[in-house]
Structure formats: C-alpha cells, structure tokens
Amino acid sequence: MALDAFDQAPAGVLVTRGPDHRLTYANDAVRTMFGDLPIGTPVRDGLGQGTLAVLDEVRKTGKTVRLDEVPVTVDRSAGPHERLLRMSLSGIALQGGESGLLAVVQEVTAQVVAPERIRGMEKELRRLQSRYQSMLWVDAHMVWVTGPHGEAREVSQGWQRLTGQTVEESRGHGWLRVLHPEDRVPAEESWDKATEEAVSLYEQIYRVRTCDGAYRHIRFRAVPVHEDGALVEWVGASTDVEQEWQEERRRRLLDRAAAAATDITNLEEMCQALADVIVPELADSCHIYLLPESSSSLPHAPIVTERVAAAVRPGLSALPPRRKDYHPVDSGFVRAVRRRRPVHASFPPGRPPFPCADLVAKWLAETRSHSLAILPLVVEGEVAAVVTTSICADRPPTAPDDIRLMREMLDHTHDAVSKALRFRRTQKVALALQHSLLAEPPGVPGLELAARYQASPTAAEIGGDWYDAFLLSCGAVKLVIGDVAGHDLSAAVCMSQVRNMLRALAVDRDESPGDVLRRLNSALETLNGESTATCVLTRLERDGDGLWQLAYSVAGHPPPLLVTGDGKGRFLQDAGNPLLGLNHDQPWISAVEPLPPHSTLLLYTDGLIERRGEDLGDGLERLRLCAEPLAREPLGRFCDELLTGMPVTGEDDVAMIALRVPPAGCYEGVAS
C-alpha cells in the first residue's frame, strides 16, 4: 500500500521483481508513456539486449545505474514507434525479503536533457527511494506526504476512504478540517515543534472524523526527508488505533477510580474524586447524590437526596450550591432508583424527556445538555447513591460503551463506597448521641455559665469530648469536662456511659471530687476494662461568708484556667491524678480554690491547646495569653473569642464550659 504515494509523482516510477523483471507497480506517468501495463507482465518487451543486461546487473548487485538514452519501442493505437528514455535504476528490498528493481523513467525523445535536469532527476530518485524505505519502515494503513509544517502534498486512497475527503480537499492544511475541533490547533503546533526540534520520528494520536460522522483515534507517524541538510518533507502513515485507545483509557480510568476509593476514607471526598475521574473524560458534568435510608423501597414516591459531589468541565457553569434536591416521582432519577438499572436518554438540547429536580432542569437548559446517564449504586440490597452525568454542546451523546465503563468503575469502587457509607451512617448516629448529651448548662442563681462545642472540620470520625453541669440538692454546682479515648461510635457510646456513671456517683454521696473520680475509676475497670478517659470534676458552693469556692480534681486532663477580673490568669494544678481506666492504688487528690468576684473559670478539652509535635506547655501558655484580655468580656463572647482566637489545628474536637462569678455585691439573681 505504500507504493500509492508514487501515483502522482511527476517522473515515471515502476517496480519489478524476479529474474524476468515482472511488473509489480507502475504509476500514472508510466502508464501515460506506455499505455495500460498489466501487473505481472515482464518488462523485457521493447528493450534492447544491452538494456536488459543492465537490469539484470542492477538486480544482482543493488547498485544504482543511470542510462541516458534508452531506445524503447512503444506499441500504441497509432502503431509502434520508438522513444528515447532516461532511466535511473536502483535495487530495492521488497516486502518479504525479495530483491527488486526500482526504475525512475523520463522521456527525452524530443529534447536534450540539461545537466540541471539530470541533477533534479537524481534528487527525485533519492527522495523516492527515501519515501519507499520510510514507508516500509512505518508499515501502516494510510500513506501521505506533507511539507515541513504539515501541509499535505500527497495522500493515499486509504485516507480518502476513511475521511471522505478528496485529494484536493486534503491538500495544504485542508486535512485538518476532519480532525476533532479540539485537536486542530495542537496538530498544527506539533508539526511546527517537530520541524523546529528536528525530531527523527513524529508520532501523535488525533481524533479523525470518518465518513459516517463519528470520530476515531488515528495514530500519525512520520519520518523526515532531508535534502542538502534541510528538511523538505515528511513521509508518514496513519493507523486506526481506536480499539487500542479505548482499552488503554478503560484501564487508566479504572485505575484512577480504584485509587480514589483506596486512598480516601471520607465518603464526600471519595465521591468527589470519582466525579473528577468521570469529568471530562466521559462526560461534561457529573453529580453524585446520597439517598436517605430505605428511600428506594418506597413505591410511587418522590425522593429527596443530598448532593455530595459535583464536577463540570471548564467553561460550564456549576449547579447552585444547594445540597438538597427534590426528584419528582415520574423523573428519570426515580425511575433509575426504582428499577436499580441505569437510565440513558438523548434529547434536544435542554429538553429532557422526563421531569427533573427544579435546579437540575434549569441547569440542563442553560448548558444545552442533550444527553443524560443516571446510574444507581446498590449497597447491601438498597440504592445508596446515584451518579448522574450529562453531555453538552457539540460533544457526541454518551456512548453505550462509556455507560458500561462507568458501571464498571462503580463496581470497582463498590466495596470502598459501601464501607465509607456505613461509616458515615455510624458517624451520624455517634454525632447525634454526642449532641444529645451536650445539653445547655442549667440556670444557677449567683453564677453565669456558658458552654461551647466545636466539631473538628477535618476529622473523619466523632470524638469522645463532653461537658456537663448540674445542681445538687444541697445547692452545690457540679461542672465536668472530659474526653474518652477513641474516635468512633464505640467512643461516643463509652463517653455516654462515663458521663452517666459520673452523674450518678456525684449525686449518690456528699464527697470530694477526688473521691467521686476514684469510684468512677473503679467502675470503669470493672465494667469496661479497655477504655480510658480524662476528666475534670469540680464542685462549687458558697462558704460561710457567702463567697464562692471551688473544689476540684483532675484525672489526666489539661488543668482548669482561672482568670481574675483584672485579667490575671493561672492554671489550677494542685489536684492532679492519673487517667481514668488505669489501676491506681493511691488516694485521689482534690484541692480547694476560692473564686474571687468577677473571676472566670474555664474547663476545656485538649483540642483547644494541642498541636502535633509541640510541647503541651506552649499550648497552655498560648491559652492563658489569649484568655487574659477577655476577662471583662461577656461570658459568651469570652468563649467565642477563644474558639476563634486560638490557632487550633482542626484535627480534634473542642469542648469547653466556663463559669463567671459576678462582681462583689451582685451575687443574687444572676442567670446563666
């Protein structure tokens, strides 16, 4: 097929094989000189014995020989007549390893060949030989010749059959018109770069529009042809690699999807990574929705979903950030959920054949989307999530192969998504449990109370932090802050058990905070020997003079901070004890501290002060310096300013509870 490139060469070109020099190829110029020459015909007829001897010698030795004036008898319709030919003969290697002969022929019957024309003929011979060898080396399906910057000069019939372009339509840069619009500029730039860098092989893959209007991936390979050290043209070929490209893309996308599921544990981040794999490779947009539990089993009912991931190709507007979407009962979305099978539809731009969520319908119209694919993800027998994709503008509709690939991607990520989904549901249960235990502090006459809880913005799990405040029948006030080891549902459950046991023990007997923690520690060892926790337990009551005093005990927890009304802060560190949950045979220590008028007591968890790799003392000092200027601020603002002013890492939750003693003479009637 490579010989097609010589069809329109200005000089006659013929190729023979075998000892009797049977014709293998003749271009248009040869047929003009000699008429229709059947392939396989010996070319001995009409040549003199001397010329035949030269042909035999060239075939045997492979040397190049030029014959200046070769008489040939040509039998045409007007009768036989002689012509004078100039011939350049060269041995070549044919496919299959057989030796052959390449002849470049020019008629010189009516003219004297000038020296310049001889040199031009020799250059043409060298170029044709180079083309032939290059095309044998490239070994491809469609052959072509371009100028130094990709301007087509000659194309074979293979290119015409593939694209439907005529020879004239493909000349110059006309062949670029059948490339995908996104590939045209890169193609021009790649030719210029290849010429500038003098590469020995040009190789690129572009999308080419075929006769039926579809695009296929075609590999372009070419080698340069030089004359006198200068690049004069590229000789190359093109091969259809659509199947190879599709398989490579499939492997690459499946690997990316698997990596997204393997490297990420947070469900929202996992879904976003999956959407980013799909866009723009397979679609112009991708949105992933989570369904409420058991919603897929409700017949003939609309579905309200949570949109957890969205990706759109550059240049497209995104859906509004509202995360809840209402899908009508007759929508394609609900149909896919009920049937548990993908729904695919192509339609006029912006006009889907079924109802959609209101914001989605508006977005489809704005982006002129014309193709939708809706794929449900089934986890443990229920549709847990739905992936929707759309195609916009001039891009072809989603192909069935692409839908199968997306289903395969979901199958590859099923186990990881299922695990993350179960964890997310467990996390919601733990969070609800934790928040149910973090009640508002009670109203205490003569004291002001405030509490805050800030969940970690980055932690994927629920912590065991808690605070508590309650009144005893004797009028004393108990304040508690604590943290159970762990970040999962079991930690939240353990936290609720510790909180409730501590409440029961604190009201059971009238004893010091240290004795209460001692009994709590014994209970933990007996009932839950593997759990540990930290805690600060305080008891506030008035002395004989009507002033408030604090009795406290600390079990492995950061110490309470006391800030006086004039802005002097210090940590209360006279009642330290080990972690709860450890065997401790020594007495548990309590301490008593008077609370001056207008002083503030702060109990907090370690998320407020700890930084990875930093000494705990640095965090405590940072807290003291941040709290002292806030001594005269309202107690609620005091807490809020600490949360915003402390440079927390966000790796852990933060819980705090604060108490403010009123100024002297204002002890009565202060609400919390």
Side-chain angles (χ1 to χ4, degrees), residues 282-285 368-372 389-393 395-398:
L282 298 173
D284 291 324
S285 76
R368 295 184 58 78
S369 297
H370 58 80
S371 179
L372 276 177
T389 66
S390 70
I391 301 296
C392 309
R395 186 170 183 168
T398 305

Side-chain angles (χ1 to χ4, degrees), residues 179-180 183 186-187 190 202-208 216-221 239-242 244-246 248:
L179 296 192
H180 191 282
D183 291 347
S190 69
Y202 174 88
E203 184 170 5
Q204 297 288 339
I205 295 178
Y206 298 119
R207 291 164 289 181
V208 176
R216 298 185 66 83
H217 287 81
I218 306 296
R219 176 183 288 120
F220 291 72
R221 304 180 74 199
T239 306
D240 189 321
V241 293
E242 181 66 24
E244 173 187 337
W245 185 88
Q246 292 286 358
E248 189 280 331

Side-chain angles (χ1 to χ4, degrees), residues 303-468:
I303 298 176
V304 178
T305 61
E306 179 183 4
R307 191 180 342 124
V308 295
V312 296
R313 67 166 170 79
L316 278 186
S317 61
L319 270 174
R322 190 180 77 183
R323 297 175 64 85
K324 297 290 185 180
D325 287 290
Y326 175 90
H327 303 275
V329 65
D330 54 348
S331 65
F333 189 100
V334 173
R335 185 193 310 168
V337 172
R338 299 288 177 257
R339 297 179 179 178
R340 302 187 182 187
R341 294 195 304 271
V343 169
H344 177 219
S346 296
F347 44 86
R351 295 161 56 192
F354 40 68
C356 297
D358 52 357
L359 290 180
V360 174
K362 182 179 179 182
W363 182 84
L364 292 174
E366 290 175 351
T367 58
R368 295 184 58 78
S369 297
H370 58 80
S371 179
L372 276 177
I374 307 171
L375 298 91
L377 176 62
V378 179
V379 175
E380 298 178 352
E382 294 286 339
V383 177
V386 174
V387 177
T388 67
T389 66
S390 70
I391 301 296
C392 309
D394 297 332
R395 186 170 183 168
T398 305
D401 285 345
D402 287 347
I403 294 179
R404 283 191 289 270
L405 177 54
M406 285 189 283
R407 294 187 69 179
E408 194 172 356
M409 291 167 63
L410 294 181
D411 289 342
H412 273 60
T413 60
H414 175 274
D415 291 346
V417 172
S418 175
K419 182 178 178 181
L421 187 62
R422 287 195 300 270
F423 179 81
R424 187 176 190 268
R425 290 171 177 172
T426 301
Q427 186 184 39
K428 283 188 173 182
V429 173
L431 187 60
L433 174 61
Q434 187 177 42
H435 284 177
S436 70
L437 300 174
L438 299 176
E440 286 294 323
V444 181
L447 292 176
E448 187 179 357
L449 297 176
R452 297 290 186 270
Y453 178 82
Q454 178 174 284
S456 165
T458 60
E461 301 174 329
I462 298 300
D465 300 37
W466 92 95
Y467 61 80
D468 200 2

Side-chain angles (χ1 to χ4, degrees), residues 130-360:
S130 179
R131 286 186 189 179
Y132 184 83
Q133 297 298 335
S134 299
M135 286 182 289
L136 283 180
W137 182 77
V138 173
D139 188 23
H141 298 167
M142 292 165 282
V143 181
W144 36 264
V145 179
T146 77
H149 298 283
E151 59 276 22
R153 294 175 177 173
E154 301 173 25
V155 295
S156 67
Q157 293 181 356
W159 177 262
Q160 299 175 48
R161 287 192 296 269
L162 174 71
T163 65
Q165 275 193 325
T166 66
V167 173
E168 291 302 321
E169 288 172 338
S170 61
R171 287 192 187 278
H173 287 102
W175 67 277
L176 292 172
R177 287 193 289 270
V178 296
L179 296 192
H180 191 282
E182 296 175 1
D183 291 347
R184 293 170 188 170
V185 172
E188 290 188 271
E189 292 176 347
S190 69
W191 280 113
D192 293 339
K193 183 177 180 181
T195 299
E196 180 182 346
E197 296 180 356
V199 299
S200 59
L201 173 67
Y202 174 88
E203 184 170 5
Q204 297 288 339
I205 295 178
Y206 298 119
R207 291 164 289 181
V208 176
R209 188 181 66 244
T210 61
C211 291
D212 59 4
Y215 284 94
R216 298 185 66 83
H217 287 81
I218 306 296
R219 176 183 288 120
F220 291 72
R221 304 180 74 199
V223 292
V225 176
H226 295 87
E227 287 184 6
D228 300 326
L231 174 64
V232 295
E233 62 186 13
W234 293 90
V235 180
S238 302
T239 306
D240 189 321
V241 293
E242 181 66 24
Q243 184 173 354
E244 173 187 337
W245 185 88
Q246 292 286 358
E247 183 58 30
E248 189 280 331
R249 182 183 70 154
R250 173 184 170 276
R251 289 194 300 268
R252 174 168 47 83
L253 293 180
L254 289 178
D255 288 346
R256 289 180 58 194
T262 301
D263 298 339
I264 302 172
T265 57
N266 178 274
L267 180 63
E268 284 80 358
E269 294 179 3
M270 186 183 298
C271 290
Q272 185 60 54
L274 182 60
D276 291 337
V277 173
I278 293 174
V279 176
E281 289 275 6
L282 298 173
D284 291 324
S285 76
C286 176
H287 298 91
I288 302 180
Y289 302 84
L290 294 184
L291 275 66
E293 292 186 60
S294 302
S295 62
S296 63
S297 61
L298 298 175
H300 311 299
I303 298 176
V304 178
T305 61
E306 179 183 4
R307 191 180 342 124
V308 295
V312 296
R313 67 166 170 79
L316 278 186
S317 61
L319 270 174
R322 190 180 77 183
R323 297 175 64 85
K324 297 290 185 180
D325 287 290
Y326 175 90
H327 303 275
V329 65
D330 54 348
S331 65
F333 189 100
V334 173
R335 185 193 310 168
V337 172
R338 299 288 177 257
R339 297 179 179 178
R340 302 187 182 187
R341 294 195 304 271
V343 169
H344 177 219
S346 296
F347 44 86
R351 295 161 56 192
F354 40 68
C356 297
D358 52 357
L359 290 180
V360 174

